[in-house]
Amino acid sequence: MATQCFCAVCIDSADRGVIQNCGKFSGIAQPGCSLVLWPIATVTKVSMMTKQIDVQTNTKTKDNVTVSVTTAIMYHVGAEPTDIEAFFFRLHNPHQQITAYVDDCIRSQVPTMTLDEAFEAKEKLAVEVKAQVAESMKEFGVQIVKALLTDMQPDHSVMAAMNRSALGLLCAVRSRWNAFAACTHACRQGCVPSSLCTSSHLVGHRSCGQP
């Protein structure tokens, strides 16, 4: 008479167990304790927890500016047995697969926008990425929870030019403000005729020569 040996398998609440009999899929073990016929049957755990990957994509905008876009993708395995089966048997590297779909979506959208338009459309891009990646990963039992564009950095030379431009504008505004403040002070002291200092920006004064 053949001897059969049953083995107890414990599955955590955050996992599911893929049961195989002689290598063939036979079912899903739910959280708790399950008995399997060892060594004919094996159980492999699949995590159901939500995971996050950060995808960095390099592409160019419509105005020929190289940008590096960082996208955060949060995903988990679907709760249906068919989802768990598809994830376990059909998907080898979920991170690599998701990265490829995110890259494809970003590189098809950003080149149609200027740099300013891309910055303004970050939320729209995130929605497009989630929709496209979710549709593509559905057949592998993966559900996309959220997609966020967490960073968008232009090329270093463009950033340096933008910083120089912003600094120049700040210096110009500060210089004009200092000149205006000096004129206001001179008007109040009566050193400059009020006709030269009258300004709509002097809050609280009808003209520099008036109290």
Side-chain angles (χ1 to χ4, degrees), residues 84-147:
I84 301 171
E85 180 184 2
F87 178 82
F88 186 80
F89 289 104
R90 299 186 59 192
L91 192 59
H92 173 65
N93 190 329
H95 285 200
Q96 188 175 3
Q97 193 86 0
I98 291 173
T99 296
Y101 286 126
V102 172
D103 286 343
D104 180 66
C105 184
I106 292 294
R107 288 173 180 155
S108 66
Q109 295 289 329
V110 173
T112 66
M113 308 174 185
T114 64
L115 180 61
D116 290 339
E117 290 171 345
F119 273 109
E120 293 173 358
K122 287 177 68 175
E123 291 187 5
K124 179 183 176 182
L125 284 171
V127 172
E128 290 287 341
V129 169
K130 181 185 177 183
Q132 182 169 321
V133 176
E135 181 63 27
S136 300
M137 296 299 295
K138 184 169 60 175
E139 63 177 299
F140 301 107
V142 175
Q143 295 182 359
I144 304 301
V145 179
K146 192 76 174 178

Side-chain angles (χ1 to χ4, degrees), residues 11-22:
I11 304 296
D12 295 335
S13 296
D15 299 328
R16 298 294 185 273
V18 176
I19 304 173
Q20 294 174 265
N21 286 326
C22 297

